[in-house]
Amino acid sequence: MTYDLKITGGTIVDGTGRPGFAGDLGIENGKVVALGRAEGAAARTIDATDRVVSPGFVDVHTHYDAQILWDRMLTISPWHGVTTTVIGNCGFGVAPTRAAHRKLILQTLEKVEGMSLDALHAGLGEEWPFETFPQYLDTLEKNGAAINVAALFGHTPLRLYVMGEESTERAATPDEIATMKKLVREAMEAGAIGFGTSVSVSHNGYAGKPVPSRQATVDEMDAMVSVLGDLKRGLMQITIGRDFSTRHMAEVSRKYGVPVTWTALLSHLYGPGGHRKQLDLAAEQRKSGALVIPQVSCRPLNFEFTFAEPFIFDVMKFMNELAAADAKDPGTRRRAYADPAWREKLRSEVTPLFQRWWERVVIAWAPSARELEEMPLAVAAAKLGKDPVDLALDLALANDLQARFRMAVMNFDEKEVAELITDPNTIIALSDAGAHASQLCDACYSTHLLGHWVRERKTFSIEEAVHNLTQRPAEMFGITDRGVLAAGRPADVVVFDPKTVGPGPLKRVYDLPAGADRLISEASGIDAVIVNGELIRHEGKDMVATNDRLPGRLLRHGRAA
Ligand SMILES: [Zn+2]
């Protein structure tokens, strides 16, 4: 037999951005050994007529740090063609963690990443087989996973480990910074691909306290990045906030020769049109010798809300007045929601960002009308012959104000998003896979990019989109042996149908540990997913069982050993 696996008759789009070409692909011993012509017999052949054959997708912004300990399949990323993920983003993670801090770190993940605490406890158990970061990597390697994993070292567990609970309250002393530097070096030497952190004001952990990384001074950040500079390896990933600006990022990037990628540059983050200034800034920084790369998203940023606490409408005065009135006289809120005159306010007296807000809302959870769940509000309203705002408030009232809605609050202006995702100085990422599990699901960003932005909107050619899902993020993150189809490279391959590829509608399932729920999306048009030469998904089904030896590799230093 010449090949273990052969893919015939497809269009090969190799990840570099160059034009696709008709050809076959042959795989042996986990590697691509033939590209273009692959004559000779194979143990298994996949017919890729009318299909695209591309490198497996590289998702550089995930939060599988905990999930990987109970779900070695890393669902749902491989369903959407992802064969390599980066964990440890935003500085979150589970190592290093002392036994005494396990509960605190899980409570922090619960808050910042919207994971159910019950699921985390049940999934990780009482006894963790690791304390330090190197031990955590050893655990991942020993367990194995369906797809490849590279890890950033997280600032939040690091600070908690070194400073204890004071890490949420104060700056670090010079001694503590020295200890942290040592541990960053240890993590990098064990195979971390960089350092993740967050100064986002929205990142609060256990007991509502700021996550430890938010208490880091500019000097502490500088010290952590200096280790990467000394080692001449690794990148910094940061979720932005007030305290460590893009100017600081450019400074450390230049000073230490370290790339910095920040999350996330979204349309409307700085008001309509405000993204332009950030793109210009990124271009300028690039010219000045700093490598500061905003991460952008090809999907709208959604938030879930209820009409019991409709926090997303808080910017509107009449909403705040209602909350205040209801606090004094409980029941005011419900009466307003039932009042046609008040309903009219919610239709017409909204700020510019909320114009026609109901067109961006999905009904997420409504026990009184299960058949409407996951349906766009406007579609459901049209079906019932109702006004959408009336329907939303009727559902709220019928479900004791607990009905949940999901609304795109940013990154929904497609003209602006197109500018962001095609800009030469950004990378498309931000799937947040594994996080916000019950609230949103952007782990399907790859099939969304191919279905929506390539097929429907023609913003990218297939070659450009595949390049943005493969070689480009891999290079940015120092993942050196993934992202391109070439002879001699590991065989991470996706076979997809460009006419049908896309994410399915979001579905709520209850498959997390302790029966916790999450949203998932099944892909269409993903025919085959191959990791290190092994077929792990075929025609929408798993080809490996969770108890099998799995083909994914831990990419220490950004590559398989
Ligand atoms: Zn994140």
Side-chain angles (χ1 to χ4, degrees):
M1 215 56 82
T2 318
Y3 307 111
D4 299 328
L5 179 64
K6 196 159 105 164
I7 302 167
T8 60
T11 299
I12 295 173
V13 173
D14 70 2
T16 63
R18 71 170 166 141
F21 56 96
D24 302 336
L25 185 141
I27 295 169
E28 206 194 343
N29 286 330
K31 296 223 157 81
V32 174
V33 292
L35 195 67
R37 285 168 72 94
E39 277 154 16
R44 173 170 209 151
T45 300
I46 294 173
D47 176 11
T49 307
D50 299 329
R51 302 293 193 259
V52 169
V53 180
S54 83
F57 307 141
V58 179
D59 182 350
V60 293
H61 195 118
T62 79
H63 292 279
Y64 284 130
D65 306 73
Q67 183 179 327
I68 193 172
L69 296 165
W70 70 78
D71 172 20
R72 298 192 307 140
M73 305 298 277
L74 291 181
T75 56
I76 61 169
S77 290
W79 303 0
H80 295 270
V82 171
T83 58
T84 296
T85 61
V86 175
I87 60 175
N89 276 284
C90 309
F92 304 130
V94 290
T97 298
R98 298 179 201 284
H101 293 146
R102 283 176 189 160
K103 202 165 160 203
L104 293 181
I105 206 82
L106 293 190
Q107 284 171 331
T108 297
L109 290 182
E110 177 202 17
K111 290 281 173 296
V112 294
E113 296 298 358
M115 296 180 194
S116 142
L117 189 60
D118 288 344
L120 287 164
H121 274 305
L124 270 73
E126 289 295 313
E127 285 311 310
W128 299 7
F130 56 85
E131 175 177 308
T132 67
F133 188 78
Q135 288 166 352
Y136 173 69
L137 290 187
D138 289 346
T139 303
L140 298 190
E141 193 159 57
K142 191 168 135 265
N143 291 353
I147 59 177
N148 309 303
V149 175
L152 297 165
F153 185 48
H155 202 178
T156 273
L158 170 63
R159 264 181 139 249
L160 182 63
Y161 189 78
V162 172
M163 301 170 62
E165 293 204 47
E166 288 180 24
S167 61
T168 64
E169 282 154 15
R170 63 169 173 84
T173 64
D175 277 356
E176 288 163 340
I177 290 180
T179 307
M180 284 193 258
K181 280 178 71 176
K182 237 183 257 163
L183 290 168
V184 172
R185 177 176 280 270
E186 177 193 76
M188 291 299 294
E189 281 168 353
I193 61 165
F195 175 74
T197 188
S198 166
V199 290
S200 168
V201 287
S202 69
H203 280 157
N204 294 312
Y206 68 87
K209 293 182 172 188
V211 295
S213 62
R214 282 181 55 192
Q215 301 293 5
T217 60
V218 171
D219 287 345
E220 178 180 329
M221 292 290 188
D222 183 292
M224 299 303 110
V225 181
S226 75
V227 181
L228 311 186
D230 288 348
L231 295 168
K232 297 192 169 30
R233 210 165 50 68
L235 85 161
M236 178 193 205
Q237 181 270 339
I238 178 166
T239 303
I240 51 163
R242 277 195 296 264
D243 302 332
F244 197 82
S245 65
T246 43
R247 180 175 61 79
H248 291 122
M249 294 177 210
E251 274 168 22
V252 294
S253 175
R254 265 194 302 267
K255 189 162 158 196
Y256 300 115
V258 169
V260 180
T261 179
W262 60 273
T263 40
L265 176 50
L266 302 172
S267 144
H268 282 83
L269 179 60
Y270 302 95
H275 68 293
R276 199 56 257 170
K277 241 172 98 183
Q278 290 296 322
L279 290 177
D280 293 344
L281 179 66
E284 245 170 67
Q285 289 177 326
R286 192 80 166 241
K287 258 195 229 135
S288 78
L291 197 51
V292 179
I293 295 134
Q295 282 184 31
V296 297
S297 168
C298 66
R299 286 170 64 82
L301 181 74
N302 286 295
F303 273 119
E304 232 182 43
F305 68 95
T306 65
F307 279 94
E309 285 177 68
F311 70 98
I312 60 169
F313 293 110
D314 277 358
V315 289
M316 284 178 285
K317 206 167 144 229
F318 68 88
M319 271 293 186
N320 286 318
E321 285 167 1
L322 181 63
D326 192 68
K328 274 199 213 120
D329 177 11
T332 307
R333 199 186 268 288
R334 280 165 210 261
R335 285 192 295 278
Y337 290 163
D339 173 8
W342 191 89
R343 288 180 172 198
E344 190 47 39
K345 282 190 188 186
L346 195 54
R347 262 189 289 271
S348 51
E349 289 181 27
V350 293
T351 57
L353 196 58
F354 285 89
Q355 293 291 324
R356 305 187 71 78
W357 58 268
W358 50 89
E359 289 175 357
R360 290 181 266 132
V361 169
V362 167
I363 300 162
W365 188 79
S368 71
R370 278 265 128 91
E371 69 286 357
L372 302 181
E373 285 179 359
E374 289 309 317
M375 207 182 270
L377 180 61
V379 172
K383 213 173 125 179
L384 299 171
K386 268 194 179 185
D387 173 89
V389 176
D390 286 334
L391 176 59
L393 291 166
D394 288 349
L395 286 172
L397 290 167
N399 293 285
D400 197 23
L401 302 192
Q402 298 306 309
R404 296 206 295 263
F405 301 88
R406 195 164 58 241
M407 176 159 142
V409 292
M410 264 187 245
N411 226 44
F412 54 81
D413 180 328
E414 298 229 309
K415 212 180 128 263
E416 291 196 358
V417 175
E419 282 180 41
L420 287 165
I421 60 180
T422 55
D423 189 89
N425 296 309
T426 62
I427 54 168
I428 301 168
L430 204 70
S431 84
D432 264 343
H436 315 298
S438 77
Q439 292 223 359
L440 51 87
C441 176
D442 292 328
C444 54
Y445 81 108
S446 49
T447 50
H448 181 76
L449 188 75
L450 295 167
H452 183 69
W453 292 101
V454 175
R455 187 177 58 246
E456 288 166 6
R457 292 196 60 108
K458 302 185 171 47
T459 302
F460 290 106
S461 67
I462 287 197
E463 286 86 350
E464 287 165 338
V466 167
H467 177 63
N468 276 290
L469 291 170
T470 56
Q471 186 185 34
R472 187 159 163 165
E475 275 186 351
M476 169 73 219
F477 273 67
I479 297 170
T480 50
D481 67 348
R482 310 285 146 173
V484 176
L485 286 181
R489 297 279 290 247
D492 292 350
V493 187
V494 183
V495 180
F496 65 89
D497 182 350
K499 291 187 297 302
T500 59
V501 67
L506 299 195
K507 233 173 36 186
R508 191 172 297 281
V509 295
Y510 295 81
D511 66 348
L512 291 182
D517 66 309
R518 63 170 172 163
L519 290 170
I520 61 164
S521 157
E522 298 195 40
S524 56
I526 297 283
D527 285 19
V529 181
I530 293 152
V531 176
N532 293 306
E534 200 165 316
L535 184 64
I536 64 159
R537 300 268 303 168
H538 194 212
E539 288 163 359
K541 288 199 184 61
D542 281 341
M543 300 301 286
V544 285
T546 182
N547 298 324
D548 293 354
R549 189 199 59 79
L550 295 174
R553 300 288 297 271
L554 176 68
L555 304 180
R556 291 184 195 263
H557 310 294
R559 62 185 179 273

